[in-house]
Amino acid sequence: MSALDAVRARHSWSKVTDDAPTREELLTLVAAAGRVADHSSLRPWRLIELRGDDRVVLGKAIAEAEGDKKPSSKPLRAPLLIAIVASFRTSSKVPRWEQEAVASGVAHTMSLLLDDAGWGVFWRTGEYTRSKAVAKAHGLHKDEALLGWLYVGGKPAGKKAGRRKSVDARAMLTGMPAKTKKKPAK
């Protein structure tokens, strides 16, 4: 399958089975995802693998962040969660926003690679991704920010992926605005 075909075929799977890729399978995909465009090769990202009780710990942290007494069940919706972390580096050439874009690129590339490998994937975010409780649960350092999680599991037999409307490419790809003629000075 070509890269174009893989991108066109990608869908989010909001419901997945309890199957998940092994750590060894993930390592191969992470190495490939790390090839995203990265100004100065800073590698301003890292991924955190959450399985089993790690997801329960996250559910408690989300509850704390949201002021709930009962742990959130959201992290239990997939057997594997991959936390996407922007790890900001000191650079006079590469601003923070660009480093966060690299981390986002790694996350999206991972979702494409996982989908292409036959896994169901969806990217979950929320206001609590930037909360102290959730950052602490992930062991984030002061120069790191959590961008969300890839929820990963098996694709249920007989189920269809989430639908997404086609993109109107003509509306999304524009040229530079035409220069207006300057009016002569009076």
Short mmCIF file of all heavy atoms in Angstrom, two decimals, residues 86-110:
data_model
loop_
_atom_site.label_atom_id
_atom_site.label_comp_id
_atom_site.label_asym_id
_atom_site.label_seq_id
_atom_site.Cartn_x
_atom_site.Cartn_y
_atom_site.Cartn_z
N ALA A 86 5.24 16.50 24.41
CA ALA A 86 6.18 17.46 23.81
C ALA A 86 7.24 17.73 24.87
O ALA A 86 6.92 18.14 25.99
CB ALA A 86 5.47 18.75 23.42
N SER A 87 8.48 17.43 24.55
CA SER A 87 9.62 17.66 25.46
C SER A 87 10.44 18.80 24.89
O SER A 87 11.27 18.59 24.00
CB SER A 87 10.48 16.39 25.56
OG SER A 87 9.75 15.34 26.14
N PHE A 88 10.17 19.98 25.39
CA PHE A 88 10.77 21.19 24.81
C PHE A 88 12.26 21.27 25.11
O PHE A 88 12.70 21.03 26.23
CB PHE A 88 10.03 22.43 25.32
CG PHE A 88 8.57 22.40 24.98
CD1 PHE A 88 7.62 22.17 25.95
CD2 PHE A 88 8.16 22.57 23.67
CE1 PHE A 88 6.26 22.13 25.64
CE2 PHE A 88 6.80 22.53 23.33
CZ PHE A 88 5.86 22.31 24.33
N ARG A 89 13.02 21.61 24.08
CA ARG A 89 14.47 21.76 24.18
C ARG A 89 14.82 23.24 24.06
O ARG A 89 14.12 24.00 23.39
CB ARG A 89 15.16 20.99 23.06
CG ARG A 89 14.70 19.57 22.84
CD ARG A 89 15.20 18.63 23.91
NE ARG A 89 14.87 17.27 23.53
CZ ARG A 89 14.27 16.41 24.32
NH1 ARG A 89 13.93 16.76 25.53
NH2 ARG A 89 14.00 15.19 23.92
N THR A 90 15.93 23.61 24.66
CA THR A 90 16.41 24.98 24.51
C THR A 90 17.01 25.12 23.13
O THR A 90 17.86 24.33 22.73
CB THR A 90 17.48 25.29 25.59
OG1 THR A 90 16.88 25.07 26.88
CG2 THR A 90 17.97 26.72 25.47
N SER A 91 16.51 26.11 22.38
CA SER A 91 17.00 26.32 21.02
C SER A 91 16.75 27.77 20.63
O SER A 91 15.65 28.28 20.82
CB SER A 91 16.29 25.39 20.04
OG SER A 91 16.64 25.71 18.71
N SER A 92 17.76 28.39 20.07
CA SER A 92 17.58 29.76 19.57
C SER A 92 16.95 29.75 18.17
O SER A 92 16.46 30.77 17.71
CB SER A 92 18.93 30.49 19.53
OG SER A 92 19.83 29.80 18.67
N LYS A 93 16.95 28.59 17.52
CA LYS A 93 16.42 28.48 16.15
C LYS A 93 15.02 27.87 16.07
O LYS A 93 14.31 28.11 15.11
CB LYS A 93 17.36 27.64 15.29
CG LYS A 93 18.72 28.24 15.07
CD LYS A 93 19.62 27.50 14.10
CE LYS A 93 19.41 26.05 13.93
NZ LYS A 93 20.39 25.38 13.09
N VAL A 94 14.66 27.07 17.05
CA VAL A 94 13.41 26.31 16.96
C VAL A 94 12.48 26.69 18.12
O VAL A 94 12.70 26.27 19.25
CB VAL A 94 13.67 24.79 16.97
CG1 VAL A 94 12.38 24.02 16.72
CG2 VAL A 94 14.73 24.40 15.95
N PRO A 95 11.45 27.51 17.85
CA PRO A 95 10.55 27.94 18.92
C PRO A 95 9.70 26.79 19.46
O PRO A 95 9.55 25.74 18.84
CB PRO A 95 9.68 29.00 18.25
CG PRO A 95 9.74 28.69 16.79
CD PRO A 95 11.08 28.05 16.54
N ARG A 96 9.11 27.01 20.63
CA ARG A 96 8.29 25.98 21.29
C ARG A 96 7.16 25.49 20.40
O ARG A 96 6.87 24.29 20.36
CB ARG A 96 7.72 26.51 22.61
CG ARG A 96 8.72 26.53 23.72
CD ARG A 96 8.14 27.16 24.99
NE ARG A 96 7.11 26.35 25.62
CZ ARG A 96 7.30 25.52 26.63
NH1 ARG A 96 8.50 25.39 27.16
NH2 ARG A 96 6.30 24.83 27.14
N TRP A 97 6.48 26.41 19.70
CA TRP A 97 5.35 25.98 18.88
C TRP A 97 5.81 24.99 17.82
O TRP A 97 5.09 24.04 17.50
CB TRP A 97 4.63 27.17 18.23
CG TRP A 97 5.40 27.86 17.14
CD1 TRP A 97 6.15 28.99 17.24
CD2 TRP A 97 5.50 27.44 15.77
NE1 TRP A 97 6.72 29.31 16.03
CE2 TRP A 97 6.33 28.37 15.11
CE3 TRP A 97 4.97 26.38 15.04
CZ2 TRP A 97 6.65 28.26 13.76
CZ3 TRP A 97 5.29 26.28 13.68
CH2 TRP A 97 6.12 27.21 13.06
N GLU A 98 7.01 25.19 17.28
CA GLU A 98 7.51 24.28 16.24
C GLU A 98 7.87 22.93 16.85
O GLU A 98 7.65 21.88 16.23
CB GLU A 98 8.73 24.91 15.56
CG GLU A 98 9.18 24.13 14.35
CD GLU A 98 10.31 24.83 13.59
OE1 GLU A 98 10.59 26.02 13.83
OE2 GLU A 98 10.93 24.14 12.75
N GLN A 99 8.38 22.94 18.07
CA GLN A 99 8.70 21.69 18.74
C GLN A 99 7.42 20.91 19.08
O GLN A 99 7.37 19.68 18.94
CB GLN A 99 9.51 21.97 20.00
CG GLN A 99 10.90 22.54 19.68
CD GLN A 99 11.73 22.77 20.90
OE1 GLN A 99 11.79 21.91 21.79
NE2 GLN A 99 12.41 23.91 20.96
N GLU A 100 6.37 21.63 19.46
CA GLU A 100 5.08 20.98 19.73
C GLU A 100 4.51 20.40 18.43
O GLU A 100 3.90 19.33 18.42
CB GLU A 100 4.11 21.95 20.37
CG GLU A 100 2.86 21.28 20.87
CD GLU A 100 2.03 22.15 21.80
OE1 GLU A 100 2.58 23.01 22.50
OE2 GLU A 100 0.80 21.94 21.81
N ALA A 101 4.73 21.10 17.32
CA ALA A 101 4.27 20.61 16.02
C ALA A 101 4.98 19.30 15.66
O ALA A 101 4.36 18.39 15.10
CB ALA A 101 4.50 21.67 14.94
N VAL A 102 6.26 19.19 16.00
CA VAL A 102 7.00 17.95 15.74
C VAL A 102 6.39 16.81 16.55
O VAL A 102 6.15 15.71 16.03
CB VAL A 102 8.50 18.11 16.06
CG1 VAL A 102 9.23 16.77 16.00
CG2 VAL A 102 9.16 19.11 15.11
N ALA A 103 6.11 17.05 17.83
CA ALA A 103 5.51 16.02 18.68
C ALA A 103 4.14 15.61 18.12
O ALA A 103 3.80 14.42 18.10
CB ALA A 103 5.39 16.52 20.12
N SER A 104 3.37 16.58 17.65
CA SER A 104 2.07 16.27 17.03
C SER A 104 2.26 15.45 15.77
O SER A 104 1.48 14.54 15.48
CB SER A 104 1.32 17.57 16.69
OG SER A 104 1.00 18.27 17.86
N GLY A 105 3.29 15.78 15.00
CA GLY A 105 3.59 15.01 13.79
C GLY A 105 3.93 13.57 14.10
O GLY A 105 3.52 12.64 13.38
N VAL A 106 4.67 13.35 15.18
CA VAL A 106 5.00 11.98 15.60
C VAL A 106 3.71 11.24 15.96
O VAL A 106 3.51 10.09 15.56
CB VAL A 106 5.99 11.99 16.78
CG1 VAL A 106 6.11 10.60 17.40
CG2 VAL A 106 7.37 12.47 16.32
N ALA A 107 2.82 11.91 16.70
CA ALA A 107 1.57 11.28 17.10
C ALA A 107 0.73 10.89 15.88
O ALA A 107 0.21 9.77 15.80
CB ALA A 107 0.77 12.22 18.01
N HIS A 108 0.62 11.82 14.93
CA HIS A 108 -0.19 11.52 13.75
C HIS A 108 0.46 10.39 12.92
O HIS A 108 -0.24 9.49 12.45
CB HIS A 108 -0.38 12.76 12.89
CG HIS A 108 -1.27 12.51 11.72
ND1 HIS A 108 -2.59 12.15 11.85
CD2 HIS A 108 -1.01 12.54 10.40
CE1 HIS A 108 -3.10 11.96 10.66
NE2 HIS A 108 -2.17 12.19 9.76
N THR A 109 1.75 10.44 12.79
CA THR A 109 2.44 9.38 12.05
C THR A 109 2.26 8.04 12.75
O THR A 109 2.02 7.02 12.09
CB THR A 109 3.93 9.73 11.88
OG1 THR A 109 4.04 10.98 11.19
CG2 THR A 109 4.67 8.66 11.10
N MET A 110 2.33 8.03 14.08
CA MET A 110 2.08 6.79 14.82
C MET A 110 0.67 6.28 14.54
O MET A 110 0.47 5.08 14.36
CB MET A 110 2.26 7.00 16.33
CG MET A 110 3.68 6.93 16.82
SD MET A 110 4.46 5.31 16.63
CE MET A 110 3.50 4.29 17.74
#
